[in-house]
Amino acid sequence: MSRVCSVCGKGQTTGNNVSHSKRRTRRTFKANVQKVSYVKEGKTVNDYVCTRCLKSVERA
């Protein structure tokens, strides 16, 4: 699954795991994307959308 939002383009970012002794190892933060169907330019599209975009669309 491609973890990229089709609306805003949010995707995977990187950072560090930090242990109690402050040793750092690399890790990834994955975007919280859900597969939803929505109307785009008059057509129904099944695509991956991040939850922030999903929340903003439901309010509108």
Side-chain angles (χ1 to χ4, degrees):
M1 176 174 109
S2 173
R3 288 187 171 265
V4 177
C5 177
S6 63
V7 177
C8 66
K10 182 190 288 187
Q12 180 174 300
T13 60
T14 59
N16 289 312
N17 279 325
V18 182
S19 69
H20 180 70
S21 63
K22 306 295 190 282
R23 291 182 62 89
R24 287 164 169 79
T25 56
R26 298 301 285 176
R27 63 159 293 182
T28 58
F29 295 93
K30 296 178 180 172
N32 184 7
V33 293
Q34 308 294 321
K35 190 169 190 177
V36 294
S37 61
Y38 62 96
V39 177
K40 183 177 182 181
E41 299 171 358
K43 296 180 181 177
T44 303
V45 179
N46 290 323
D47 223 343
Y48 292 103
V49 178
C50 70
T51 52
R52 181 171 288 185
C53 291
L54 192 59
K55 187 176 180 181
S56 65
V57 169
E58 287 176 355
R59 285 187 182 176

